[in-house]
Amino acid sequence: MVEPTEHLLALKVMRLIRPTLISPQILTAEPKDVPQYSFQKILHSDATSVAGCETIAAGQFMLLPQSFGNIYLGETFSSYVCVHNCRAHPVSNVSVKADLQSNNSRVSLPIHADKTGPVTLNPEETLDDVIHHEVKEIGTHILVCEVSYMTPAGLETSFRKFFKFQVVKPLDVKTKFYNAETDDVYLEAQIQNITVGPICLEKVELESSEQYTVISLNTLPTGESVFSSKTMLQPQNSCQFLYCIRPIPEIACDPSALKAANNIGKLDIVWRSNLGERGRLQTSQLQRCALEYSDLRLNVIEANSTVRIGEGFNFRCRVTNTSERSMDLLMSLNTKAKPGCGYTGVTEFALGPIEPGQMKEFPLTVCPVRLGLIVVSALQLTDVFTKRKYEFDNFLQVFVVDEDYREDSFQPDKYVRYNSSITGTGSSKIIPQTV
């Protein structure tokens, strides 16, 4: 079959996008310059300038899109597809099909999904529809529109048109994980606007996985956001968001499960352009670096943050056997091993056997003898079976006040501090991990 050079139907495709504001090109000169008032007369006659404000670049007109242009990842691609019968006789069996093709996929976009089959177009009639698709890939996209119909001679005929456009990245998202001394993980998300115009961030949320819960740290104690009601970002500007991710109790109590729970969640970002175009971007699954446990892990689960000098204070610890063998532990806390530590107290007792993955809690008491911030150290756990010793330093910090400290201002808060799994040292660190 030889395809005719001119088809009976006309296909028109137009991308639906909000118009942009257009302002006049401002160029002025002094009266003593050669152009004199020529530039000013041009501005006065420019249709896009505002009368009386010609040199302020205040536009009063909107410019319709002149081409398909670029679209940002996460935005919804909308297009108007129209098939028109420009002949003097009806055309039967008319159908339209649209596909959106990218580097990795090909998606069929339904046109007139409510119609059961081909239709007949009378002279000057049209078959049109608006198609929508949320773009989720970066790179070159091609909209392929195919029109099929039957000629008066009874021949099935079709033709295609191709429309190419680029999908570019609107936001640059950088994340950093901070493993705290507790089981908590702190996530810092930096979002940068890399579009050509300002955007408004409507929502930035961290959707946690089933193994974690999320606490947003982007609000004040009053519940008010640390940002303004509308977080505006100019091109190349960025802002930071902070979240605290905590494992669920079932995971936190199981060292092996906590070690394997590396999937944190996904960032869900919704923004709008300066004229209201909505976009949504969701990151891939964020992962924390795998935790490295040694044989024993010491946690402080209950303590006061402020104590009085000369008065003994109690705190409670928990030791977890993260090794693959049973241990029979002997605990000792000796302040003589740390001269000038700021507190006194000698304790030694047997914790007894601890199976792999199990834990035991025990209380300790020390007496501060120096004002200011003191650090409790020199805790030693000895495995009776292997004679191996595990030392933990700097596992608790408390602030010591004078005994005449006013009662109304002395409010000892519960200060819960966990130590990371350490063998041979107890120094606590928060290590940033960039993903």
Side-chain angles (χ1 to χ4, degrees):
M1 183 186 75
V2 179
E3 187 174 351
T5 57
E6 186 175 356
H7 291 281
L8 303 179
L9 302 175
L11 172 64
K12 301 294 183 181
V13 177
M14 180 178 68
R15 180 188 170 192
L16 299 181
I17 186 175
R18 296 180 187 268
T20 57
L21 292 172
I22 183 173
S23 57
Q25 295 289 335
I26 298 177
L27 187 61
T28 60
E30 297 289 337
K32 61 182 179 181
D33 294 335
V34 175
Q36 295 184 344
Y37 297 101
S38 301
F39 295 147
Q40 188 174 355
K41 291 179 181 179
I42 295 175
L43 280 176
H44 280 289
S45 61
D46 193 335
T48 61
S49 62
V50 179
C53 304
E54 292 83 0
T55 58
I56 302 182
Q60 61 178 350
F61 285 89
M62 289 188 174
L63 179 66
L64 293 176
Q66 304 299 303
S67 62
F68 256 58
N70 294 335
I71 185 171
Y72 291 108
L73 180 69
E75 289 185 337
T76 299
F77 171 76
S78 301
S79 183
Y80 174 70
V81 180
C82 174
V83 178
H84 177 65
N85 181 6
C86 51
R87 301 300 178 180
H89 55 79
V91 179
S92 60
N93 287 359
V94 179
S95 63
V96 188
K97 185 174 67 173
D99 293 334
L100 188 60
Q101 182 177 341
S102 65
N103 295 331
N104 300 318
S105 63
R106 186 183 182 99
V107 180
S108 179
L109 306 178
I111 298 180
H112 278 289
D114 55 334
K115 296 186 180 297
T116 57
V119 298
T120 299
L121 291 182
N122 293 318
E124 301 303 325
E125 282 189 346
T126 60
L127 177 65
D128 58 355
D129 200 2
V130 177
I131 56 178
H132 305 278
H133 180 70
E134 182 180 350
V135 289
K136 300 179 180 179
E137 294 183 42
I138 296 177
T140 303
H141 285 60
I142 301 176
L143 178 64
V144 183
C145 295
E146 181 179 3
V147 179
S148 302
Y149 64 94
M150 182 175 291
T151 65
L155 298 177
E156 290 286 347
T157 308
S158 64
F159 65 94
R160 292 181 177 182
K161 283 192 176 181
F162 301 88
F163 305 90
K164 182 186 294 187
F165 60 94
Q166 294 290 331
V167 176
V168 295
K169 189 177 178 182
L171 303 172
D172 186 21
V173 181
K174 297 179 180 178
T175 58
K176 289 183 179 180
F177 284 110
Y178 297 86
N179 287 331
E181 296 169 350
T182 66
D183 292 328
D184 297 348
V185 180
Y186 291 89
L187 170 65
E188 176 192 351
Q190 177 180 291
I191 301 175
Q192 183 182 21
N193 175 17
I194 56 176
T195 67
V196 296
I199 64 171
C200 173
L201 294 178
E202 283 195 346
K203 182 183 78 169
V204 180
E205 291 183 357
L206 178 62
E207 298 178 354
S208 64
S209 63
E210 297 179 353
Q211 301 164 321
Y212 290 89
T213 58
V214 174
I215 301 174
S216 176
L217 303 180
N218 305 304
T219 55
L220 301 175
T222 58
E224 183 182 358
S225 174
V226 297
F227 304 101
S228 59
S229 57
K230 298 297 181 182
T231 307
M232 295 295 298
L233 282 182
Q234 296 295 329
Q236 304 305 317
N237 283 5
S238 61
C239 61
Q240 285 79 24
F241 296 83
L242 187 62
Y243 301 92
C244 176
I245 303 103
R246 290 179 178 172
I248 60 177
E250 294 81 359
I251 299 294
C253 295
D254 189 346
S256 59
L258 182 61
K259 185 177 181 180
N262 296 324
N263 290 335
I264 297 296
K266 299 179 181 180
L267 275 174
D268 190 18
I269 307 170
V270 178
W271 78 93
R272 289 188 183 271
S273 65
N274 56 346
L275 286 174
E277 286 284 350
R278 185 178 184 274
R280 180 171 180 248
L281 185 65
Q282 191 175 62
T283 65
S284 57
Q285 188 71 239
L286 302 176
Q287 290 190 339
R288 66 183 291 180
C289 292
L291 296 176
E292 293 296 334
Y293 290 141
S294 53
D295 293 344
L296 291 176
R297 186 182 184 202
L298 179 68
N299 299 9
V300 177
I301 59 174
E302 185 178 350
N304 289 333
S305 60
T306 307
V307 297
R308 293 186 183 278
I309 190 170
E311 297 181 2
F313 74 93
N314 303 321
F315 58 95
R316 194 167 186 83
C317 299
R318 176 191 296 156
V319 60
T320 305
N321 182 2
T322 55
S323 68
E324 297 180 355
R325 69 180 187 278
S326 299
M327 290 188 179
D328 190 359
L329 296 179
L330 178 66
M331 197 286 307
S332 64
L333 179 66
N334 187 1
T335 57
K336 296 180 180 179
K338 290 284 184 179
C341 59
Y343 62 92
T344 60
V346 178
T347 305
E348 184 173 341
F349 55 85
L351 290 177
I354 304 179
E355 298 297 323
Q358 300 300 311
M359 59 189 69
K360 279 193 176 182
E361 298 180 4
F362 55 92
L364 289 174
T365 303
V366 296
C367 182
V369 295
R370 188 187 67 200
L371 296 176
L373 185 68
I374 64 172
V375 179
V376 182
S377 303
L379 188 147
Q380 186 179 91
L381 295 174
T382 304
D383 185 4
V384 177
F385 295 144
T386 63
K387 307 301 181 182
R388 185 173 181 180
K389 296 181 179 181
Y390 302 88
E391 295 182 357
F392 299 88
D393 290 331
N394 305 336
F395 61 89
L396 175 64
Q397 296 178 0
V398 293
F399 189 75
V400 182
V401 297
D402 189 82
E403 57 184 4
D404 297 330
Y405 196 72
R406 290 188 303 128
E407 291 290 339
D408 56 350
S409 61
F410 180 70
Q411 299 177 353
D413 300 326
K414 289 298 180 182
Y415 183 73
V416 181
R417 186 180 180 89
Y418 298 76
N419 198 1
S420 302
S421 56
I422 299 168
T423 301
T425 179
S427 59
S428 303
K429 295 181 180 179
I430 298 179
I431 305 175
Q433 301 169 352
T434 303
V435 177

